[in-house]
Amino acid sequence: TCMKEFVRRIIVAVIAIKARIVLKKYRPSMLLVSGSVGTTSTKDALYDALRDSLFIRKSQKSFNSDIGTPLTILGVPNGWSNPFTWLKNFFDGLLLILLRAPYPAWLLIEVGADKPGDISKSLSWLTPNIVVLTRVPDVPVHVEFYASPQKVFEEETSPVSWLTSGTLITNADDDNMRALVTPDGVTRLTYGIDRDADVRALHIEYRLFDTAVETRCTVESTESGRSALVLTGVLGRGHVYASLAALAGARAAGVSFERAIAALATYDGPPARMRALTGIKSTLLIDDTYNSSPAAVREALETCAALKLESQRRVVVVLGDMLELGSYSVKEHEAVGTAAAGVADVLVTVGVRARSMQDGARIAGMLDSALVGYDNSTQASQALPSLVQEGDIILVKGSQSIRMERVTKALMQNPESAHSLLCRQDAEWLSRP
């Protein structure tokens, strides 16, 4: 393990040096996305809104770390444990420095933190033109590794201090973001749903057609008036927020509102973030298995409640452990269980920590007959196909290490499509127990 970490540090140091040289040579404009919730969806929405108008490259998947960011700048893949891929990356990066190659005018980079210093220290050499911040909830993911939720907020918002000009884009519905000070010489744009903002969504509704879905709303811009926004195959306010942030980002980058909103018609979100899939027995399968946190679970449950109200269909909620909550864990799992009781006809929990969700659901009046628990996602995958009924709405969500994508795959009508539709389907992940 020590040797592996040593090799990793050498790789990070080498590619970071090359990335800095490449930035100095090609001088691309840079758009950074940071925050605790919805950063990858926001990055993908920004890319869809901008790619027809600008020569732009985005971070791949959720590669937002001290390795992922330099790889994006160099335009090379993650080598994982393959020394030949890293060797090829080394020479490709060298050619980019030594020769004059076509290079994007814009880089769209997602940055993220698992532990202190991931952003503020390891990526502080980035010089963005635009910073887009998503939300940082009161109990954010990864809080276990920080002294307090406030320290997570400081880490996630550290890119603001790297702005010397350009534009800062923040969520108007997040009280912490509203209190954030705009640096001198920087323009501030806001986006939101519940409060006035420069780009705001009104009248959000969900359309359900058997197992197909649409999220619809009206978008109001202080600069460009109103327009309809239709997102196909995805559900929830999270994707609306991502689209609003993308429209604000387009405005900051000089792309017209009309052009950006038309381009968002292609947005279908990254895998495993409130994506609608066709399940067995004509069920609507809502795959939200990429990761989990209390705020994200509540938002997913609110979406299920709206779908239930419209369709009168049975709702099965399958929730795995929420990790990295530290001392907040038991309380937050119970609170999520209480929230689920108001929506779910059946609550299925997966993992040891998630059992506390059942306690919260009981307190809220949910009967034991509607509560089911499994120790891990493999057990749940084997049992759930016989538990679900014709036409159910099924939400599947849990933290990364619980591997809830296995449950989604077991409930898909076409599991052979898992590789292109689900998260963690590359060989590296599939080889893990």
Side-chain angles (χ1 to χ4, degrees):
T1 307
C2 289
M3 178 55 73
K4 200 172 182 180
E5 180 58 26
F6 177 70
V7 171
R8 183 189 184 279
R9 286 184 181 181
I10 290 174
I11 289 172
V12 169
V14 170
I15 62 174
I17 290 168
K18 285 186 175 181
R20 292 165 88 156
I21 295 170
V22 165
L23 289 180
K24 197 168 184 180
K25 177 178 178 179
Y26 293 95
R27 300 191 176 281
S29 296
M30 191 179 297
L31 201 162
L32 288 190
V33 181
S34 185
S36 281
V37 178
T39 49
T40 303
S41 299
T42 300
K43 175 203 68 184
D44 285 359
L46 276 158
Y47 182 73
D48 285 342
L50 299 174
R51 65 179 175 178
D52 291 340
S53 303
L54 305 173
F55 182 15
I56 187 168
R57 175 193 294 158
K58 68 171 178 175
S59 305
Q60 293 303 305
K61 299 184 180 179
S62 294
F63 294 161
N64 57 12
S65 62
D66 54 353
I67 282 186
T69 298
L71 291 178
T72 300
I73 294 167
L74 297 174
V76 295
N78 192 327
W80 296 107
S81 301
N82 188 329
F84 297 106
T85 304
W86 285 117
L87 204 60
K88 185 177 184 302
N89 287 351
F90 177 83
F91 285 110
D92 287 348
L94 209 56
L95 289 174
L96 200 58
I97 292 167
L98 297 176
L99 304 177
R100 190 79 197 177
Y103 195 83
W106 283 84
L107 293 176
L108 171 52
I109 295 176
E110 175 189 352
V111 296
D114 291 338
K115 58 187 186 301
D118 278 355
I119 297 174
S120 55
K121 290 189 177 67
S122 65
L123 298 175
S124 59
W125 45 274
L126 297 173
T127 52
N129 302 79
I130 303 169
V131 170
V132 178
L133 297 179
T134 67
R135 291 164 297 149
V136 179
D138 291 336
V139 183
V141 70
H142 311 309
V143 69
E144 177 181 2
F145 305 116
Y146 291 80
S148 67
Q150 177 60 27
K151 292 297 181 186
V152 182
F153 179 79
E154 290 170 7
E155 179 82 24
E156 298 283 12
T157 58
S158 56
V160 176
S161 65
W162 310 341
L163 275 172
T164 53
S165 60
T167 309
L168 170 62
I169 298 171
T170 59
N171 188 315
D173 297 339
D174 186 309
D175 289 333
N176 293 320
M177 291 298 174
R178 285 167 69 88
L180 200 63
V181 176
T182 308
D184 290 340
V186 172
T187 303
R188 179 83 162 253
L189 288 177
T190 59
Y191 64 94
I193 298 170
D194 300 324
R195 291 174 168 146
D196 284 340
D198 293 301
V199 184
R200 185 181 184 186
L202 308 166
H203 316 305
I204 299 171
E205 60 178 8
Y206 308 114
R207 298 280 177 87
L208 189 54
F209 315 94
D210 294 324
T211 57
V213 299
E214 286 178 350
T215 296
R216 292 171 168 261
C217 66
T218 299
V219 178
E220 185 177 66
S221 165
T222 53
E223 190 178 65
S224 309
R226 290 187 172 189
S227 184
L229 176 67
V230 180
L231 305 175
T232 304
V234 294
L235 290 160
R237 285 162 61 105
H239 291 292
V240 175
Y241 276 130
S243 301
L244 297 175
L247 292 168
R251 180 161 153 182
V255 175
S256 75
F257 179 76
E258 294 76 18
R259 194 173 173 95
I261 210 159
L264 281 171
T266 62
Y267 171 77
D268 61 359
R273 279 85 159 182
M274 293 298 286
R275 275 178 109 177
L277 305 174
T278 302
I280 58 172
K281 304 178 185 177
S282 300
T283 54
L284 171 64
L285 192 54
I286 304 173
D287 180 31
D288 200 22
T289 55
Y290 179 72
N291 211 347
S292 191
S293 67
V297 175
R298 285 188 181 86
E299 202 158 90
L301 291 171
E302 285 173 14
T303 303
C304 288
L307 289 172
K308 184 176 184 176
L309 193 64
E310 183 186 320
S311 67
Q312 301 299 307
R313 287 159 70 171
R314 193 176 84 137
V315 172
V316 178
V317 174
V318 188
L319 298 178
D321 288 353
M322 300 182 294
L323 301 182
E324 300 177 356
L325 295 177
S327 61
Y328 298 91
S329 185
V330 173
K331 179 184 170 188
E332 291 298 326
H333 279 86
E334 285 181 359
V336 159
T338 300
V343 181
D345 294 284
V346 179
L347 173 61
V348 180
T349 63
V350 181
V352 177
R353 297 166 189 80
R355 289 175 191 162
S356 296
M357 293 178 187
Q358 297 197 18
D359 297 333
R362 287 190 190 95
I363 292 167
M366 203 165 186
L367 300 176
D368 281 344
S369 58
L371 299 171
V372 185
Y374 301 102
D375 291 338
N376 55 59
S377 57
T378 303
Q379 286 181 9
S381 301
Q382 293 165 352
L384 280 173
S386 61
L387 184 145
V388 303
Q389 297 177 9
E390 193 81 16
D392 281 348
I393 295 171
I394 309 166
L395 169 69
V396 188
K397 187 166 182 62
S399 279
Q400 219 173 63
S401 300
I402 309 305
R403 306 299 302 279
M404 295 296 285
E405 71 276 6
R406 292 169 176 165
V407 177
T408 302
K409 185 176 181 179
L411 295 173
M412 287 173 70
Q413 186 182 75
N414 300 306
E416 64 275 10
S417 304
H419 189 79
S420 60
L421 295 175
L422 306 188
C423 62
R424 292 183 285 274
Q425 296 301 299
D426 20 30
E428 177 77 14
W429 274 105
L430 292 175
S431 66
R432 299 183 188 185

